Amino acid sequence: MRMFDIIRKKRDGYELSTEEIRFFIEKYVLNEIPDYQAAALLMAIYFNGMSERETADLTFAVRDSGARLDFSSINGVRVDKHSTGGVGDKTSLIVAPLVACLGVKVAKMSGRGLGHTGGTIDKLESIPGFDTSISTEEFLKNVNEIGVSIVGQSRDLAPADKKLYALRDVTATIDSLPLVVSSIMGKKLAADDDCIVLDVKSGSGAFTKTLDDSRALARAMVDIGKRAGKKMLALITDMDRPLGNAIGNSLEVAEAVDTLNGRGPKDLTEICLVLASNMLFLAGKGSVEACRAACEKAVKDGSALETLAKMVKAQGGDVSVIYDTDKFKKAKYAFEVKVSTSGYIYGVDTEGYGRASLLLGAGRNTIEDTIDYSAGIILKKKTGDRVENGDVIAVLYSDDREKFAEAAKVFDASTHISDEAPIARPLVLDRIE
Ligand code: URA
């Protein structure tokens, strides 16, 4: 088999065979196919797409490109949740302990921030001492004893995706449905969960900007998960505005703790209750309504927060910041963004807000960059709110004062104020079983 023939076949619009797809992934991981040939194939896939069968084959080849995890020593049903990435999305920090304290196991592998989107692992590492690379034995022991553990993806989990993602990032081939599906599901299926709830974000801060694209992505991922024998469900949720009011690592952990204390922003609280109740439902814990009532009770009686605290302690983190989030190190400087007109916040470019947070130091521009964990944004006004000239709509935080000018400019350009109030958009746009 020759890579040249595979590229030409896809370039000319033909379907690749299972063997051709496996050949490409196996040889690429072994560095026997150069990046320029892989990039040519990615571009051919970008333009010509893939059939359902090809997409499934690519996903399974990515899954099988490294070690598969074995969770069989975990007692009980294992459920995972995966978000396609957004701004201010700290739901994993809330739903993982919430679901775990209600008797379902969450053995979670999460990622770091990518582009304008944040990552759960960076957020957790803003807790002093928190170790996201504990051994597999410890990870499994913690899941059995506490119900939940969250770690970074091990190096040998779906290594084909690591190489392909980096290549897609620099060859303008990220936003291709079969490539996104195989990237996300290849990693998810290499883990050993019984049930997966997908949170497919839709809107200006998401990978899929339109509802139709989000639905197509959700359906494709649900189908492939089912083919692999998993119980699957997808929720399509709004990312036309950031989730909650905090963007940036320790700011988001503090907001997650507030939410587990029953004092979180309305939108974040609602999305977390919907996600957690659907995770419990999929795991066989009763109707979605009954599961939601159980979640509300676990927030009220403090058991969900207690489970987060136990997880933090078991992974070496400083639990005192969970019980008192004022103990998080504060950014040295704060900068208020004020509006220079009156009206309604008609809409925001959520990706722009994510970029502004990145500029403040909350994310990486290159893989080597270090993160300023206290940097970020607290939103004071959101889409639909009325603002008067001079009102503070956000406070920016950074250890480097020089970063405010550019970040404020990006933030400003991403906020659209109008005389008209926008039509309210639901938080949950669709549910696909
Ligand atoms: N997240 C991933 O892991 N892969 C993609 O391709 C897009 C989002």
Side-chain angles (χ1 to χ4, degrees), residues 199-256:
D199 178 9
V200 178
K201 302 286 182 198
S202 191
S204 63
F207 158 70
T208 41
K209 312 280 185 215
T210 68
L211 188 52
D212 280 350
D213 285 350
S214 305
R215 278 199 183 111
L217 178 62
R219 283 202 190 104
M221 293 198 288
V222 164
D223 284 349
I224 285 186
K226 283 186 175 171
R227 275 196 202 207
K230 309 286 179 194
K231 286 173 91 177
M232 299 290 305
L233 192 152
L235 293 157
I236 299 178
T237 65
D238 180 42
M239 195 30 78
D240 246 352
R241 57 204 139 157
L243 197 47
N245 302 327
I247 308 169
N249 299 288
S250 65
L251 298 173
E252 292 194 39
V253 176
E255 187 167 79

Side-chain angles (χ1 to χ4, degrees), residues 307-340:
T307 304
L308 175 70
K310 279 186 195 159
M311 179 184 89
V312 168
K313 186 155 185 250
Q315 292 187 229
D318 177 0
V319 199
S320 71
V321 300
I322 301 299
Y323 291 119
D324 179 3
T325 53
D326 278 343
K327 289 193 172 162
F328 268 116
K329 177 196 160 287
K330 301 267 182 313
K332 280 194 200 136
Y333 305 106
F335 178 92
E336 291 183 338
V337 182
K338 294 181 180 166
V339 283
S340 50

Side-chain angles (χ1 to χ4, degrees), residues 59-115:
T59 305
F60 299 148
V62 169
R63 173 196 66 188
D64 298 340
S65 66
R68 302 267 304 265
L69 300 171
D70 177 6
F71 290 169
S72 58
S73 63
I74 296 175
N75 307 312
V77 181
R78 308 172 300 261
V79 66
D80 194 6
K81 181 226 67 146
H82 181 82
S83 152
T84 55
V87 178
D89 181 2
K90 66 280 292 172
T91 54
S92 288
L93 304 175
I94 301 159
V95 300
L98 177 52
V99 162
C101 81
L102 291 167
V104 170
K105 297 296 195 302
V106 185
K108 191 152 180 51
M109 305 239 158
S110 289
R112 295 188 182 279
L114 201 68

Side-chain angles (χ1 to χ4, degrees), residues 82 84 114 161 165 168 174 179-181 183-184 187 207:
H82 181 82
T84 55
L114 201 68
D161 180 60
Y165 200 98
R168 287 165 60 208
I174 289 281
L179 297 179
V180 174
V181 170
S183 166
I184 293 178
K187 285 180 289 225
F207 158 70

Side-chain angles (χ1 to χ4, degrees), residues 24 34 46 66 113 140 205 239 287 295 315 329 349 364:
F24 162 56
Y46 181 91
L140 296 173
M239 195 30 78
S287 68
C295 291
Q315 292 187 229
K329 177 196 160 287
D349 170 8
R364 298 177 189 80

Side-chain angles (χ1 to χ4, degrees), residues 86-90 93 116-119 122-124 126 242-243 245-256 353-354 356-358 360-363 371-378 397:
V87 178
D89 181 2
K90 66 280 292 172
L93 304 175
H116 69 280
T117 67
D122 295 328
K123 292 170 202 185
L124 283 170
S126 74
L243 197 47
N245 302 327
I247 308 169
N249 299 288
S250 65
L251 298 173
E252 292 194 39
V253 176
E255 187 167 79
Y353 279 17
S357 173
L358 206 75
L360 292 166
I371 284 186
D372 173 357
Y373 288 117
S374 57
I377 302 170
I378 295 288
Y397 294 95

Side-chain angles (χ1 to χ4, degrees), residues 79 95 98-99 102 104 197 233 235 269-296 428 431:
V79 66
V95 300
L98 177 52
V99 162
L102 291 167
V104 170
V197 171
L233 192 152
L235 293 157
T269 303
E270 177 59 22
I271 291 279
C272 287
L273 287 172
V274 171
L275 285 171
S277 46
N278 276 285
M279 287 165 81
L280 290 164
F281 161 77
L282 206 58
K285 289 283 178 184
S287 68
V288 177
E289 294 72 28
C291 292
R292 183 176 172 123
C295 291
E296 284 170 355
V428 179
R431 180 175 185 269

